[in-house]
Amino acid sequence: MEHLGQQSNNYYQAIGSFCHSGYHGDKFESVNSPMIDRVIFAILPLFHLRMVTGGWPGNKTFWHSCPAYCNCSFIDYTAMAKCDLQMMDKCENFVLPNNIMMLDLSKNNLVEVPSCVLNRRNNIGVIEEGTFPIMPNLLRLDLSFNDLREWRGDIANTLPSLQTVEFTGNHLYFPEKNLFEVHNLKEIRGITWNINCANCTLINTKILVSSNESDLACIVTSEEYVFSEEIEYGRSLLFVKRGFSPKCLCESDNCVAEEIYLPYELTLNTLPRKLFYTEYILGAIAIILNLVVMFISFGCRSLRTSTSFILLGNISVCDIFMGVYSVLIARYTVYEFIVNAGNYPRMDVFVNDYCTIMGVIFTTAQIVSVSSSLLATVERYLSIVHCMNPGVRLRKTTALKCVTGIWCAAIAYSLLPVFQVGGLRYHGEFTCMMPFVNGPDQQDTSEAGLAVAALLVLFYVISIALYFHIFLHVRKAGMSAGVKRKATLAKNISIMVFTNFIFFISPMVCTLLFVYRSEQLFKAFSISTLRSLKTYFIMLSWAPVVFISFNSCLNPCLCAFRHPKFRKEIKVYVEKLQCSFLRRSQHNLPQVWTLTAAERLELTSTN
């Protein structure tokens, strides 16, 4: 404003000098004629308007910078320019004043708006309705490098023949429904809606399908966005629903991951990931309870001389391993790496390493546990059914040799996938339970793996059959008190073996069905919604692990803690701890009293 005021003063001074008048401050002092003063003051506002706006009022052309093929005018305080682009010789010569507010390109019969007219950083923020006149022949429009945020109005009616629009550099603009209503629109270029999908070209899907190179074209359909009503996919889904294929989905792995894969994986796997947190609790309970069983069974002299309790202690060691497996699978389940993929740049290597550790623990513990259960069953069977024949027994030394051999065989087999013998490996997708063949198809498994699984099931079947015979034998024959005590222990062991069988066979069957009959299970579950798919994954991945972990927590309560002799030893051990604590307190009490007395004596002496 100060600049304009200074210009006004200069104009007044110049006029005063021309009229031989003196100008002092803010008025004229006429020297000769009053008539001249009146004329000057009549035309003075016109000079001032010309100075401020750059032109005369009305529809006259003004601005010395207005191109020859444009009519620049100032109407109702609005700077306007109407241009006849057919007379333009070079696009570089198209230079309009910076304060232009309205540009009229009507009656140009345009097929393409030259790039110098609307782009090149003109800072167009909003294209209002009526900005473009009806241009029925316009095919291409370039709006590159503006700050475009919104394009309002009926574009289909204004630009009915529009085929290509260029929006490169307009990072805040997202095409709305009115642009897609243009029936002849073929291509939208330079759309950016996130960092991974920048300067994307949208191509009309119908044109791609009907083209001769449709097999090579990037055709994106809504079928690729499965369960789109339940999953919040990226903004590219809006383009696809409106009949346009984002080319960047075929050109950028990061773009297709952010738009399709990540929303799908996060929505599907977040709930199973949260459910696996329960494994922390079950694993901790299993470790604590079975540590008690192991210490009592192996620590008490009266129990460790019994073959049955040695075998029970060995089973508790296996359940401790299963508790460790439960904690590890809670932390390093495959769902953790899917949901938090950004935190694990080398996810495949990470999964395989930890899955190998968990697979070794699981396989070793299961083989030893099932085999030890069979040994415990055989020991009870011989001591009850053949009670009159003391020579037929499973001795302690024989049981220890068998247990040692079982541990060695189990560890050797579980380590085969570590060294990839026969192409074996542990799969994170199957919760690292069984070794599978390391091939392109995850449905491949080894014959050795199936044989071991079948052998463990056979061990359980034999154990159940032997216990059934034991119960029939006890019912028919009259037994002494000692034999009845052995029968009581056999009953507890049988309950444990039966539950082990149920909780072992169920996860194994689920895993094998998941591997070999995946398609049939999909049909059986009638998976047509995201909810049913989540249920499918929960039942076949989370539930088996929970069954096994729960069984490890249940075993001490079903067998060891129910036996009177075991409970007696626990009571004795607790009393020993209490006595030890009391003796330690009594030993420290005289020292504390002596120290207090000495302090008192020293204080008295000082006083």
Side-chain angles (χ1 to χ4, degrees):
M1 293 299 294
E2 295 179 359
H3 177 67
L4 294 177
Q6 183 63 38
Q7 283 190 317
S8 300
N9 289 339
N10 293 340
Y11 264 89
Y12 287 130
Q13 290 174 355
I15 295 172
S17 300
F18 174 77
C19 297
H20 306 287
S21 299
Y23 175 76
H24 302 285
D26 58 350
K27 65 179 181 177
F28 283 103
E29 294 183 1
S30 178
V31 177
N32 294 319
S33 173
M35 179 61 71
I36 294 176
D37 289 345
R38 288 193 290 272
V39 171
I40 289 173
F41 279 101
I43 66 173
L44 186 58
L46 298 180
F47 275 101
H48 190 213
L49 179 63
R50 173 69 176 86
M51 179 271 299
V52 174
T53 65
W56 303 105
N59 295 335
K60 300 294 183 180
T61 300
F62 56 103
W63 291 302
H64 61 83
S65 60
C66 189
Y69 41 83
C70 293
N71 180 21
C72 302
S73 57
F74 191 86
I75 300 177
D76 296 332
Y77 304 101
T78 302
M80 302 177 59
K82 177 176 175 55
C83 300
D84 184 0
L85 299 182
Q86 298 177 5
M87 299 174 58
M88 184 175 61
D89 51 354
K90 293 182 179 180
C91 190
E92 291 78 4
N93 296 331
F94 186 85
V95 179
L96 290 176
N98 293 331
N99 58 346
I100 193 71
M101 300 175 68
M102 294 184 62
L103 177 61
D104 187 355
L105 300 177
S106 61
K107 298 180 181 179
N108 275 285
N109 197 28
L110 291 174
V111 175
E112 178 180 1
V113 178
S115 59
C116 55
V117 176
L118 292 177
N119 71 343
R120 301 295 179 262
R121 298 175 175 82
N122 283 300
N123 297 325
I124 302 173
V126 179
I127 299 178
E128 298 286 353
E129 184 174 1
T131 299
F132 291 98
I134 297 177
M135 291 185 283
N137 298 320
L138 183 66
L139 301 179
R140 293 176 294 277
L141 180 62
D142 191 343
L143 295 170
S144 303
F145 299 103
N146 287 286
D147 291 330
L148 186 63
R149 298 182 299 276
E150 188 177 0
W151 187 352
R152 302 170 183 169
D154 188 355
I155 304 174
N157 183 50
T158 306
L159 309 173
S161 301
L162 187 63
Q163 295 181 0
T164 303
V165 190
E166 177 73 59
F167 292 105
T168 302
N170 295 280
H171 302 301
L172 300 178
Y173 177 71
F174 188 81
E176 298 293 340
K177 182 180 178 181
N178 58 347
L179 179 60
F180 293 98
E181 290 177 346
V182 179
H183 299 295
N184 295 315
L185 190 62
K186 296 180 179 179
E187 197 173 45
I188 304 174
R189 300 176 181 172
I191 299 297
T192 298
W193 63 92
N194 62 55
I195 190 173
N196 292 315
C197 304
N199 294 325
C200 190
T201 299
L202 313 180
I203 304 177
N204 193 306
T205 304
K206 293 182 179 179
I207 297 176
L208 292 175
V209 173
S210 60
S211 65
N212 296 330
E213 298 180 354
S214 59
D215 295 339
L216 302 176
C218 177
I219 300 176
V220 183
T221 63
S222 57
E223 295 178 355
E224 300 186 33
Y225 298 82
V226 293
F227 309 124
S228 57
E229 296 181 356
E230 302 175 78
I231 299 176
E232 187 176 352
Y233 284 104
R235 303 181 78 177
S236 60
L237 178 59
L238 297 176
F239 302 139
V240 175
K241 287 183 176 180
R242 289 167 179 167
F244 280 76
S245 296
K247 195 175 180 180
C248 50
L249 292 180
C250 301
E251 297 175 342
S252 172
D253 294 337
N254 292 332
C255 180
V256 71
E258 183 168 348
E259 289 293 301
I260 300 179
Y261 297 153
L262 285 180
Y264 174 80
E265 297 291 352
L266 287 176
T267 307
L268 177 62
N269 297 301
T270 299
L271 178 58
R273 176 65 192 100
K274 292 180 179 179
L275 289 176
F276 264 94
Y277 287 127
T278 58
E279 286 296 293
Y280 282 120
I281 300 175
L282 294 176
I285 294 174
I287 292 173
I288 294 172
L289 292 180
N290 286 284
L291 279 175
V292 173
V293 175
M294 184 187 71
F295 283 127
I296 297 298
S297 298
F298 294 150
C300 298
R301 182 178 302 176
S302 60
L303 294 182
R304 66 170 177 261
T305 57
S306 170
T307 305
S308 297
F309 279 100
I310 289 177
L311 294 175
L312 288 178
N314 189 55
I315 294 174
S316 68
V317 173
C318 297
D319 287 332
I320 292 172
F321 275 89
M322 290 307 303
V324 174
Y325 166 83
S326 299
V327 173
L328 289 177
I329 199 66
R331 175 63 181 87
Y332 298 112
T333 175
V334 68
Y335 295 108
E336 164 69 17
F337 300 102
I338 294 175
V339 173
N340 302 307
N343 299 331
Y344 306 97
R346 300 182 64 191
M347 184 176 66
D348 293 339
V349 177
F350 208 69
V351 170
N352 290 336
D353 290 345
Y354 279 93
C355 192
T356 299
I357 297 173
M358 290 184 287
V360 171
I361 294 174
F362 178 89
T363 304
T364 302
Q366 285 299 310
I367 293 176
V368 175
S369 178
V370 176
S371 303
S372 298
S373 298
L374 178 61
L375 286 177
T377 302
V378 171
E379 191 275 335
R380 290 292 89 189
Y381 179 83
L382 295 177
S383 62
I384 295 175
V385 176
H386 299 278
C387 61
M388 303 305 295
N389 188 2
V392 182
R393 294 286 187 276
L394 181 62
R395 303 298 179 184
K396 177 182 175 181
T397 55
T398 305
L400 290 175
K401 291 179 182 178
C402 291
V403 168
T404 304
I406 291 171
W407 275 100
C408 293
I411 294 174
Y413 173 74
S414 64
L415 290 177
L416 294 180
V418 176
F419 302 100
Q420 296 186 354
V421 177
L424 292 175
R425 58 163 288 198
Y426 294 103
H427 280 281
E429 293 83 355
F430 306 131
T431 59
C432 313
M433 286 187 179
M434 296 176 61
F436 291 83
V437 174
N438 187 16
D441 188 0
Q442 290 181 352
Q443 295 185 1
D444 294 334
T445 188
S446 66
E447 295 180 357
L450 289 177
V452 171
L455 182 63
L456 296 181
V457 172
L458 179 62
F459 284 174
Y460 275 124
V461 172
I462 295 174
S463 298
I464 294 174
L466 290 177
Y467 279 117
F468 184 74
H469 189 217
I470 290 174
F471 295 140
L472 291 178
H473 181 76
V474 171
R475 173 175 286 186
K476 291 180 180 180
M479 295 293 167
S480 62
V483 175
K484 288 183 178 180
R485 285 195 298 270
K486 293 180 180 180
T488 301
L489 180 58
K491 180 180 178 181
N492 295 338
I493 296 176
S494 66
I495 295 174
M496 182 188 70
V497 171
F498 182 74
T499 56
N500 285 354
F501 174 71
I502 297 299
F503 287 115
F504 171 81
I505 198 68
S506 299
M508 290 299 102
V509 169
C510 289
T511 303
L512 292 175
L513 289 176
F514 190 40
V515 174
Y516 288 108
R517 293 292 182 265
S518 181
E519 296 181 0
Q520 290 81 351
L521 285 176
F522 259 76
K523 296 179 181 178
F525 273 81
S526 299
I527 297 176
S528 57
T529 63
L530 180 65
R531 183 176 182 179
S532 60
L533 184 60
K534 287 182 179 180
T535 304
Y536 172 80
F537 278 105
I538 290 172
M539 292 298 296
L540 296 180
S541 61
W542 175 73
V545 177
V546 171
F547 284 172
I548 294 174
S549 302
F550 182 72
N551 181 63
S552 297
C553 299
L554 200 60
N555 282 343
C557 301
L558 291 178
C559 188
F561 287 112
R562 295 182 63 189
H563 197 275
K565 193 173 183 179
F566 186 86
R567 290 201 301 267
K568 180 181 177 181
E569 292 296 337
I570 290 180
K571 186 177 180 181
V572 171
Y573 187 75
V574 171
E575 291 176 354
K576 288 181 178 179
L577 288 178
Q578 291 177 346
C579 293
S580 176
F581 177 77
L582 290 175
R583 283 197 297 268
R584 185 177 300 176
S585 300
Q586 292 173 358
H587 176 71
N588 294 332
L589 184 62
Q591 295 180 355
V592 172
W593 185 87
T594 303
L595 181 61
T596 305
E599 291 177 350
R600 289 179 179 176
L601 180 62
E602 182 180 356
L603 182 61
T604 304
S605 302
T606 304
N607 293 333

